[in-house]
Amino acid sequence: MANVRSVAIVCGDGIGKEVIPVARDVLCLLHPEYELFPVEVGYERWERTGEAMGDDDFALLKSADAILFGAITTPSVPDYRSVLLRIRKDLDLFANVRPVKGDGFDITIVRENIEGLYSGIEEVGVDRATTLRLLTRHECERIARFACNLAGNRTLTIGHKANVMKSDVFFRDICLHEASVAGVNCNDRLIDALCLDVLLHPASYHVIVTTNMFGDILSDVAAYLVGGLGMLPSANIGEHHAFFEPVHGSAPDIAGRNVANPVAALRSAALLLRHAGDIPGSDAIECAIQTVFSRGIKTRDLGGSVGTKEFGDAILYELGLAGA
Ligand code: ATP
Protein backbone atom coordinates (compact mmCIF):
# COMPACT_ATOMS: atom_id res chain seq x y z
CA MET A 1 0.00 0.00 0.00
CA ALA A 2 1.32 3.43 -0.95
CA ASN A 3 0.65 6.85 0.48
CA VAL A 4 -1.01 8.72 -2.40
CA ARG A 5 -1.55 12.48 -2.27
CA SER A 6 -0.59 13.62 -5.75
CA VAL A 7 -1.59 12.02 -9.04
CA ALA A 8 -0.22 13.04 -12.44
CA ILE A 9 -2.92 12.86 -15.12
CA VAL A 10 -1.66 12.17 -18.63
CA CYS A 11 -4.40 12.01 -21.28
CA GLY A 12 -1.90 11.49 -24.12
CA ASP A 13 -3.24 11.05 -27.64
CA GLY A 14 -6.36 9.84 -29.42
CA ILE A 15 -9.03 8.31 -27.19
CA GLY A 16 -6.79 8.89 -24.17
CA LYS A 17 -8.12 12.48 -24.28
CA GLU A 18 -11.69 11.15 -23.94
CA VAL A 19 -11.41 8.22 -21.51
CA ILE A 20 -8.97 9.72 -18.98
CA PRO A 21 -11.16 12.74 -18.13
CA VAL A 22 -13.92 10.26 -17.18
CA ALA A 23 -11.56 8.43 -14.81
CA ARG A 24 -10.13 11.71 -13.49
CA ASP A 25 -13.64 12.97 -12.57
CA VAL A 26 -14.24 9.77 -10.60
CA LEU A 27 -10.95 10.21 -8.69
CA CYS A 28 -11.97 13.84 -7.98
CA LEU A 29 -15.31 12.69 -6.60
CA LEU A 30 -13.91 9.89 -4.45
CA HIS A 31 -10.77 11.71 -3.32
CA PRO A 32 -11.24 15.48 -3.37
CA GLU A 33 -8.11 15.74 -1.21
CA TYR A 34 -5.85 14.33 -3.98
CA GLU A 35 -3.81 16.86 -5.89
CA LEU A 36 -4.45 15.93 -9.54
CA PHE A 37 -2.21 17.70 -12.03
CA PRO A 38 -2.12 17.39 -15.83
CA VAL A 39 1.08 16.54 -17.70
CA GLU A 40 1.09 16.79 -21.48
CA VAL A 41 3.20 14.16 -23.24
CA GLY A 42 2.76 12.25 -26.47
CA TYR A 43 2.75 12.33 -30.21
CA GLU A 44 0.49 15.39 -30.53
CA ARG A 45 2.89 17.30 -28.29
CA TRP A 46 5.78 16.06 -30.43
CA GLU A 47 4.07 17.30 -33.60
CA ARG A 48 3.54 20.70 -32.04
CA THR A 49 6.83 21.18 -30.21
CA GLY A 50 9.24 18.60 -31.65
CA GLU A 51 9.43 16.89 -28.26
CA ALA A 52 7.12 14.12 -27.02
CA MET A 53 8.16 14.53 -23.39
CA GLY A 54 10.39 17.22 -21.97
CA ASP A 55 12.70 16.77 -18.97
CA ASP A 56 10.32 18.97 -16.95
CA ASP A 57 7.40 16.69 -17.81
CA PHE A 58 9.37 13.65 -16.77
CA ALA A 59 10.35 15.35 -13.51
CA LEU A 60 6.65 16.07 -12.86
CA LEU A 61 5.73 12.41 -13.49
CA LYS A 62 8.54 11.34 -11.18
CA SER A 63 7.33 13.68 -8.44
CA ALA A 64 3.80 12.21 -8.40
CA ASP A 65 2.77 9.48 -5.96
CA ALA A 66 0.90 7.78 -8.82
CA ILE A 67 0.30 8.37 -12.53
CA LEU A 68 -2.96 7.88 -14.42
CA PHE A 69 -2.11 7.57 -18.09
CA GLY A 70 -4.22 7.40 -21.25
CA ALA A 71 -2.51 6.25 -24.42
CA ILE A 72 0.16 7.49 -26.74
CA THR A 73 0.40 7.10 -30.48
CA THR A 74 3.82 5.80 -31.53
CA PRO A 75 4.45 6.78 -35.15
CA SER A 76 6.91 4.94 -37.36
CA VAL A 77 9.21 7.95 -37.56
CA PRO A 78 12.90 6.85 -37.41
CA ASP A 79 14.05 9.10 -34.54
CA TYR A 80 10.91 8.92 -32.44
CA ARG A 81 11.64 7.20 -29.15
CA SER A 82 8.62 5.57 -27.48
CA VAL A 83 7.61 7.69 -24.51
CA LEU A 84 5.92 4.78 -22.81
CA LEU A 85 9.00 2.55 -22.99
CA ARG A 86 11.14 5.41 -21.66
CA ILE A 87 8.78 6.03 -18.72
CA ARG A 88 8.62 2.31 -17.85
CA LYS A 89 12.40 2.02 -17.93
CA ASP A 90 13.35 5.29 -16.27
CA LEU A 91 10.80 4.89 -13.46
CA ASP A 92 11.85 1.24 -13.12
CA LEU A 93 8.27 0.01 -13.53
CA PHE A 94 9.33 -3.61 -13.79
CA ALA A 95 5.94 -5.34 -13.43
CA ASN A 96 2.94 -4.87 -15.68
CA VAL A 97 -0.15 -6.31 -14.02
CA ARG A 98 -3.24 -6.93 -16.12
CA PRO A 99 -6.29 -8.37 -14.36
CA VAL A 100 -8.87 -10.10 -16.57
CA LYS A 101 -12.02 -10.92 -14.59
CA GLY A 102 -15.32 -12.34 -15.77
CA ASP A 103 -18.03 -14.85 -15.00
CA GLY A 104 -16.27 -17.80 -13.35
CA PHE A 105 -12.68 -16.70 -13.99
CA ASP A 106 -10.19 -14.34 -12.41
CA ILE A 107 -6.85 -14.18 -14.19
CA THR A 108 -3.96 -11.82 -13.50
CA ILE A 109 -1.36 -11.53 -16.22
CA VAL A 110 2.04 -10.40 -14.90
CA ARG A 111 4.26 -9.20 -17.71
CA GLU A 112 7.94 -8.38 -17.38
CA ASN A 113 7.93 -4.73 -18.36
CA ILE A 114 11.38 -3.37 -19.19
CA GLU A 115 13.38 -6.02 -21.03
CA GLY A 116 12.71 -8.80 -23.53
CA LEU A 117 11.92 -7.77 -27.07
CA TYR A 118 11.11 -4.25 -25.87
CA SER A 119 14.63 -3.69 -24.52
CA GLY A 120 15.13 -1.00 -27.17
CA ILE A 121 18.49 -2.47 -28.18
CA GLU A 122 18.06 -2.44 -31.95
CA GLU A 123 19.94 -1.91 -35.16
CA VAL A 124 18.57 -1.31 -38.59
CA GLY A 125 20.96 -1.66 -41.52
CA VAL A 126 20.37 -1.78 -45.24
CA ASP A 127 20.24 -5.56 -45.43
CA ARG A 128 19.33 -6.61 -41.93
CA ALA A 129 17.65 -5.44 -38.77
CA THR A 130 18.03 -6.83 -35.27
CA THR A 131 16.25 -6.41 -31.96
CA LEU A 132 18.01 -7.88 -28.95
CA ARG A 133 15.79 -9.93 -26.65
CA LEU A 134 17.56 -9.19 -23.41
CA LEU A 135 16.60 -11.14 -20.28
CA THR A 136 18.76 -10.56 -17.21
CA ARG A 137 18.80 -12.82 -14.16
CA HIS A 138 18.02 -9.80 -11.97
CA GLU A 139 14.80 -8.89 -13.86
CA CYS A 140 13.67 -12.52 -14.29
CA GLU A 141 14.06 -13.11 -10.56
CA ARG A 142 12.35 -9.83 -9.70
CA ILE A 143 9.29 -10.50 -11.90
CA ALA A 144 9.10 -14.15 -10.79
CA ARG A 145 9.14 -13.15 -7.11
CA PHE A 146 6.53 -10.47 -7.76
CA ALA A 147 4.26 -13.00 -9.51
CA CYS A 148 4.78 -15.61 -6.76
CA ASN A 149 3.87 -13.06 -4.15
CA LEU A 150 0.70 -12.16 -6.06
CA ALA A 151 -0.20 -15.82 -6.59
CA GLY A 152 0.02 -16.80 -2.91
CA ASN A 153 -2.18 -19.91 -2.65
CA ARG A 154 -3.24 -19.74 -6.29
CA THR A 155 -1.52 -21.53 -9.16
CA LEU A 156 1.15 -19.69 -11.11
CA THR A 157 1.48 -20.46 -14.84
CA ILE A 158 4.66 -19.54 -16.71
CA GLY A 159 4.13 -18.58 -20.37
CA HIS A 160 7.22 -19.08 -22.57
CA LYS A 161 8.60 -20.43 -25.83
CA ALA A 162 11.42 -22.52 -24.35
CA ASN A 163 11.13 -25.10 -27.14
CA VAL A 164 12.54 -22.52 -29.56
CA MET A 165 14.41 -19.85 -27.60
CA LYS A 166 17.21 -20.44 -25.11
CA SER A 167 16.42 -17.12 -23.45
CA ASP A 168 13.05 -18.61 -22.52
CA VAL A 169 14.66 -21.73 -21.06
CA PHE A 170 16.52 -19.24 -18.86
CA PHE A 171 13.28 -17.38 -17.98
CA ARG A 172 11.23 -20.53 -17.35
CA ASP A 173 13.86 -22.13 -15.12
CA ILE A 174 14.27 -19.01 -13.00
CA CYS A 175 10.49 -18.78 -12.56
CA LEU A 176 10.24 -22.48 -11.64
CA HIS A 177 13.04 -22.04 -9.11
CA GLU A 178 11.47 -18.95 -7.51
CA ALA A 179 8.08 -20.68 -7.31
CA SER A 180 9.64 -23.67 -5.59
CA VAL A 181 11.49 -21.41 -3.11
CA ALA A 182 8.23 -19.52 -2.40
CA GLY A 183 6.21 -22.74 -2.15
CA VAL A 184 3.87 -21.60 -4.93
CA ASN A 185 2.04 -24.21 -7.00
CA CYS A 186 3.34 -23.72 -10.52
CA ASN A 187 3.05 -25.06 -14.07
CA ASP A 188 4.27 -23.86 -17.46
CA ARG A 189 2.83 -23.63 -20.99
CA LEU A 190 4.11 -22.70 -24.42
CA ILE A 191 2.85 -19.19 -25.07
CA ASP A 192 1.09 -19.92 -28.37
CA ALA A 193 -0.87 -22.83 -26.89
CA LEU A 194 -1.52 -20.71 -23.80
CA CYS A 195 -3.12 -17.94 -25.90
CA LEU A 196 -5.68 -20.44 -27.16
CA ASP A 197 -6.19 -22.29 -23.89
CA VAL A 198 -6.84 -19.10 -21.94
CA LEU A 199 -9.78 -18.50 -24.29
CA LEU A 200 -11.01 -22.11 -24.11
CA HIS A 201 -10.54 -22.71 -20.37
CA PRO A 202 -10.19 -19.35 -18.61
CA ALA A 203 -11.19 -20.81 -15.22
CA SER A 204 -8.04 -22.96 -15.26
CA TYR A 205 -5.78 -19.92 -14.96
CA HIS A 206 -5.07 -17.67 -11.99
CA VAL A 207 -1.75 -15.82 -12.20
CA ILE A 208 0.28 -15.98 -15.41
CA VAL A 209 3.84 -14.69 -15.60
CA THR A 210 5.52 -14.09 -18.95
CA THR A 211 8.02 -11.94 -20.81
CA ASN A 212 7.37 -8.48 -22.20
CA MET A 213 6.02 -8.95 -25.72
CA PHE A 214 4.29 -12.26 -24.96
CA GLY A 215 2.46 -10.53 -22.11
CA ASP A 216 1.46 -7.70 -24.41
CA ILE A 217 -0.03 -10.15 -26.90
CA LEU A 218 -1.59 -12.49 -24.33
CA SER A 219 -3.45 -9.66 -22.62
CA ASP A 220 -4.93 -8.38 -25.89
CA VAL A 221 -6.00 -11.97 -26.66
CA ALA A 222 -7.53 -12.32 -23.19
CA ALA A 223 -9.50 -9.10 -23.74
CA TYR A 224 -11.77 -11.24 -25.93
CA LEU A 225 -13.04 -12.92 -22.73
CA VAL A 226 -14.39 -9.68 -21.32
CA GLY A 227 -15.77 -7.82 -24.32
CA GLY A 228 -12.72 -6.28 -25.93
CA LEU A 229 -9.89 -3.85 -25.43
CA GLY A 230 -12.08 -1.14 -23.96
CA MET A 231 -12.48 -3.22 -20.78
CA LEU A 232 -8.97 -4.04 -19.53
CA PRO A 233 -6.91 -1.95 -17.12
CA SER A 234 -3.28 -2.31 -16.18
CA ALA A 235 -0.91 -1.32 -13.42
CA ASN A 236 2.80 -0.73 -14.01
CA ILE A 237 4.48 -1.23 -10.68
CA GLY A 238 8.01 -0.41 -9.56
CA GLU A 239 9.71 -0.21 -6.20
CA HIS A 240 9.21 3.59 -6.02
CA HIS A 241 6.61 4.49 -8.66
CA ALA A 242 3.23 3.28 -9.89
CA PHE A 243 1.55 4.01 -13.18
CA PHE A 244 -1.98 3.02 -14.23
CA GLU A 245 -3.25 2.84 -17.81
CA PRO A 246 -5.82 1.09 -19.99
CA VAL A 247 -4.42 -1.89 -21.93
CA HIS A 248 -5.71 -0.35 -25.16
CA GLY A 249 -3.82 2.20 -27.22
CA SER A 250 -4.84 5.55 -28.66
CA ALA A 251 -7.22 3.98 -31.26
CA PRO A 252 -6.95 6.76 -33.85
CA ASP A 253 -9.75 5.12 -35.87
CA ILE A 254 -12.37 6.08 -33.28
CA ALA A 255 -10.72 9.10 -31.63
CA GLY A 256 -12.57 12.40 -31.22
CA ARG A 257 -16.03 10.89 -31.73
CA ASN A 258 -17.17 10.29 -28.14
CA VAL A 259 -17.55 6.54 -28.80
CA ALA A 260 -14.60 5.08 -26.87
CA ASN A 261 -15.38 2.79 -23.95
CA PRO A 262 -14.02 4.38 -20.74
CA VAL A 263 -14.26 1.19 -18.62
CA ALA A 264 -10.56 0.31 -19.00
CA ALA A 265 -9.66 3.82 -17.82
CA LEU A 266 -12.15 3.63 -14.92
CA ARG A 267 -10.74 0.26 -13.90
CA SER A 268 -7.23 1.71 -14.10
CA ALA A 269 -8.36 4.38 -11.61
CA ALA A 270 -9.77 1.54 -9.47
CA LEU A 271 -6.36 -0.19 -9.54
CA LEU A 272 -4.77 3.11 -8.52
CA LEU A 273 -7.09 3.31 -5.49
CA ARG A 274 -6.34 -0.31 -4.58
CA HIS A 275 -2.62 0.53 -4.73
CA ALA A 276 -3.33 3.51 -2.45
CA GLY A 277 -5.08 1.20 0.02
CA ASP A 278 -8.61 2.46 -0.70
CA ILE A 279 -10.19 -0.94 -1.34
CA PRO A 280 -13.79 0.31 -0.72
CA GLY A 281 -13.26 3.11 -3.28
CA SER A 282 -11.82 0.66 -5.78
CA ASP A 283 -14.72 -1.75 -5.26
CA ALA A 284 -17.22 1.12 -5.54
CA ILE A 285 -15.96 1.90 -9.07
CA GLU A 286 -16.36 -1.74 -10.17
CA CYS A 287 -19.78 -1.92 -8.54
CA ALA A 288 -20.87 1.28 -10.35
CA ILE A 289 -19.67 -0.18 -13.68
CA GLN A 290 -21.71 -3.35 -13.11
CA THR A 291 -24.83 -1.39 -12.09
CA VAL A 292 -24.58 0.91 -15.11
CA PHE A 293 -24.19 -2.15 -17.38
CA SER A 294 -27.20 -3.82 -15.76
CA ARG A 295 -29.28 -0.79 -16.77
CA GLY A 296 -28.30 -1.43 -20.38
CA ILE A 297 -26.02 1.64 -20.47
CA LYS A 298 -23.10 0.57 -22.69
CA THR A 299 -20.84 2.05 -25.30
CA ARG A 300 -20.92 1.03 -28.95
CA ASP A 301 -18.15 -1.61 -28.75
CA LEU A 302 -20.34 -3.56 -26.27
CA GLY A 303 -23.44 -3.27 -28.45
CA GLY A 304 -24.81 -0.18 -26.70
CA SER A 305 -25.34 3.34 -27.94
CA VAL A 306 -24.20 5.77 -25.25
CA GLY A 307 -21.17 7.98 -25.68
CA THR A 308 -17.98 8.05 -23.61
CA LYS A 309 -19.07 11.14 -21.72
CA GLU A 310 -22.60 9.90 -21.06
CA PHE A 311 -21.24 6.61 -19.72
CA GLY A 312 -18.97 8.61 -17.41
CA ASP A 313 -21.96 10.70 -16.22
CA ALA A 314 -23.88 7.49 -15.42
CA ILE A 315 -20.92 6.26 -13.32
CA LEU A 316 -20.66 9.56 -11.46
CA TYR A 317 -24.43 9.46 -10.80
CA GLU A 318 -24.14 5.90 -9.44
CA LEU A 319 -21.20 6.75 -7.21
CA GLY A 320 -23.07 9.86 -6.01
CA LEU A 321 -26.11 7.71 -5.10
CA ALA A 322 -23.83 5.32 -3.25
CA GLY A 323 -22.80 8.30 -1.13
CA ALA A 324 -19.24 8.58 -2.37
P1 ATP B 1 -1.39 0.62 -30.03
O1 ATP B 1 -0.39 0.38 -31.11
O2 ATP B 1 -1.04 1.76 -29.13
O3 ATP B 1 -1.79 -0.62 -29.28
P2 ATP B 1 -3.67 0.51 -31.81
O4 ATP B 1 -4.51 1.58 -32.42
O5 ATP B 1 -2.95 -0.45 -32.67
O6 ATP B 1 -2.70 1.19 -30.74
P3 ATP B 1 -5.57 0.05 -29.86
O7 ATP B 1 -5.66 1.51 -29.74
O8 ATP B 1 -5.23 -0.67 -28.63
O9 ATP B 1 -4.55 -0.39 -30.91
O10 ATP B 1 -6.94 -0.47 -30.38
C1 ATP B 1 -7.20 -1.40 -31.40
C2 ATP B 1 -8.67 -1.24 -31.81
O11 ATP B 1 -9.52 -1.64 -30.72
C3 ATP B 1 -8.99 0.22 -32.05
O12 ATP B 1 -8.73 0.53 -33.37
C4 ATP B 1 -10.43 0.33 -31.66
O13 ATP B 1 -11.24 0.05 -32.75
C5 ATP B 1 -10.60 -0.73 -30.58
N1 ATP B 1 -10.54 -0.11 -29.24
C6 ATP B 1 -9.45 0.05 -28.47
N2 ATP B 1 -9.75 0.66 -27.33
C7 ATP B 1 -11.07 0.90 -27.36
C8 ATP B 1 -11.99 1.53 -26.46
N3 ATP B 1 -11.61 2.05 -25.28
N4 ATP B 1 -13.30 1.61 -26.82
C9 ATP B 1 -13.71 1.10 -27.99
N5 ATP B 1 -12.90 0.50 -28.88
C10 ATP B 1 -11.59 0.40 -28.58
Side-chain angles (χ1 to χ4, degrees):
M1 189 182 102
N3 185 16
V4 171
R5 283 153 302 150
S6 64
V7 182
I9 306 284
V10 182
C11 292
D13 302 313
I15 61 169
K17 289 189 188 311
E18 297 164 72
V19 297
I20 290 301
V22 170
R24 179 202 56 211
D25 289 351
V26 164
L27 284 183
C28 271
L29 177 74
L30 296 179
H31 284 276
E33 79 285 8
Y34 281 1
E35 184 208 346
L36 306 180
F37 58 89
V39 182
E40 193 202 357
V41 301
Y43 178 58
E44 287 171 28
R45 185 189 191 283
W46 178 80
E47 278 190 313
R48 221 184 49 247
T49 66
E51 205 177 31
M53 175 172 67
D55 291 342
D56 292 355
D57 302 316
F58 183 69
L60 273 176
L61 294 181
K62 209 170 170 179
S63 73
D65 297 321
I67 301 162
L68 181 65
F69 191 92
I72 283 192
T73 304
T74 302
S76 32
V77 176
D79 291 335
Y80 187 92
R81 188 180 168 206
S82 164
V83 170
L84 200 47
L85 295 193
R86 180 180 161 201
I87 293 172
R88 285 175 180 163
K89 199 158 181 69
D90 291 357
L91 294 184
D92 193 31
L93 302 167
F94 68 94
N96 193 318
V97 181
R98 299 182 159 190
V100 188
K101 281 187 202 174
D103 249 359
F105 61 89
D106 182 353
I107 307 169
T108 304
I109 299 170
V110 178
R111 158 186 170 195
E112 192 288 310
N113 212 25
I114 47 189
E115 295 190 331
L117 270 172
Y118 297 171
S119 66
I121 308 170
E122 305 189 284
E123 239 181 70
V124 180
V126 179
D127 297 317
R128 63 176 232 156
T130 52
T131 297
L132 185 73
R133 185 176 197 257
L134 173 73
L135 300 185
T136 62
R137 175 168 296 280
H138 169 73
E139 289 307 340
C140 292
E141 286 177 352
R142 192 153 67 141
I143 198 68
R145 284 183 197 135
F146 182 92
C148 287
N149 196 26
L150 206 68
N153 293 329
R154 296 175 293 168
T155 302
L156 176 69
T157 300
I158 307 161
H160 60 81
K161 195 71 183 160
N163 58 338
V164 176
M165 291 189 290
K166 291 194 171 62
S167 52
D168 257 3
V169 174
F170 182 81
F171 177 76
R172 181 199 60 194
D173 290 352
I174 289 175
C175 291
L176 284 171
H177 174 74
E178 290 300 333
S180 118
V181 170
V184 168
N185 185 28
C186 181
N187 56 39
D188 67 289
R189 297 269 181 281
L190 295 178
I191 191 69
D192 39 1
L194 181 59
C195 282
L196 177 62
D197 206 49
V198 154
L199 298 184
L200 294 176
H201 307 109
S204 307
Y205 295 96
H206 307 283
V207 177
I208 300 174
V209 64
T210 189
T211 49
N212 204 338
M213 194 177 79
F214 289 165
D216 197 3
I217 295 170
L218 179 65
S219 48
D220 273 25
V221 167
Y224 177 78
L225 293 168
V226 290
L229 278 177
M231 303 290 278
L232 287 188
S234 76
N236 295 259
I237 304 291
E239 274 151 35
H240 305 290
H241 300 278
F243 173 109
F244 303 85
E245 59 170 339
V247 164
H248 64 73
S250 61
D253 57 327
I254 57 165
R257 289 162 43 200
N258 192 39
V259 297
N261 183 349
V263 169
L266 285 162
R267 286 182 167 156
S268 300
L271 289 180
L272 188 156
L273 293 188
R274 195 160 282 272
H275 173 77
D278 178 12
I279 311 293
S282 179
D283 289 345
I285 296 177
E286 186 56 39
C287 193
I289 293 169
Q290 294 309 329
T291 309
V292 168
F293 279 164
S294 70
R295 299 225 173 88
I297 300 173
K298 292 179 180 171
T299 45
R300 223 179 50 171
D301 53 312
L302 299 179
S305 59
V306 303
T308 312
K309 201 179 164 320
E310 292 67 33
F311 190 91
D313 290 344
I315 294 287
L316 286 173
Y317 177 76
E318 233 10 89
L319 288 169
L321 282 185

